[in-house]
Amino acid sequence: MKTASVFRYGAGALGLVLIGIGAWRVADQPDPSGVLVWLAGALVLHDAILAPLVLAVGLLLVGRRDRGVLRGALVVAGSLVLVTLPLLVRPGAPPNPSALPLPYGRNLVIVLAAVVVVTAAVIVVRRWRRRPQRSTDGD
């Protein structure tokens, strides 16, 4: 069996174990409906907003060679926003004061700016490497 197949089956088995642990933890909650609503909302946001946006921007705004880099950056940025959004829009004070001790809005902007800078740097370096080399021997 090839190493890639072994890794793939191992990763799949680990994923199934983690899904089972997650389902067990949700079922163990006194009221799992809140978690299930959040999971359904995350699924709808991903399928209705994040995935189409990534595909559209990848197709419309970037040349064929840099499309994957931009799509990767959009997946990272979209995932960060989806994870942070419930913390930002939650009404009222958190039930535990230590649950949200940091300014998450500002930190999200900083991390998204870092994603933009790294993405731009990767695109610039890739284009710089692809440019034709000029001869310097004086011919």
Side-chain angles (χ1 to χ4, degrees):
M1 187 178 270
K2 293 183 179 181
T3 304
S5 295
V6 171
F7 177 75
R8 196 173 292 139
Y9 285 120
L14 178 62
L16 289 173
V17 168
L18 292 174
I19 288 171
I21 291 171
W24 176 66
R25 298 280 304 196
V26 168
D28 195 37
Q29 296 292 320
D31 183 25
S33 62
V35 175
L36 296 175
V37 167
W38 187 88
L39 288 172
L43 180 66
V44 168
L45 284 173
H46 175 272
D47 289 350
I49 296 172
L50 182 60
L53 178 67
V54 168
L55 292 173
V57 170
L59 288 172
L60 298 175
L61 297 181
V62 182
R64 213 172 69 193
R65 293 182 180 154
D66 295 328
R67 187 179 301 157
V69 175
L70 185 61
R71 283 183 178 169
L74 286 172
V75 167
V76 170
S79 299
L80 286 168
V81 170
L82 288 177
V83 167
T84 310
L85 197 61
L87 300 172
L88 295 175
V89 298
R90 183 180 188 149
N96 179 356
S98 65
L100 300 175
L102 302 173
Y104 283 93
R106 182 200 69 193
N107 292 348
L108 176 63
V109 169
I110 291 170
V111 173
L112 291 176
V115 169
V116 169
V117 168
V118 169
T119 302
V122 168
I123 289 173
V124 166
V125 167
R126 287 178 69 176
R127 287 185 180 179
W128 180 75
R129 285 185 176 175
R130 284 194 304 257
R131 69 179 167 83
Q133 300 295 322
R134 292 186 182 161
S135 175
T136 58
D137 59 344
D139 290 330

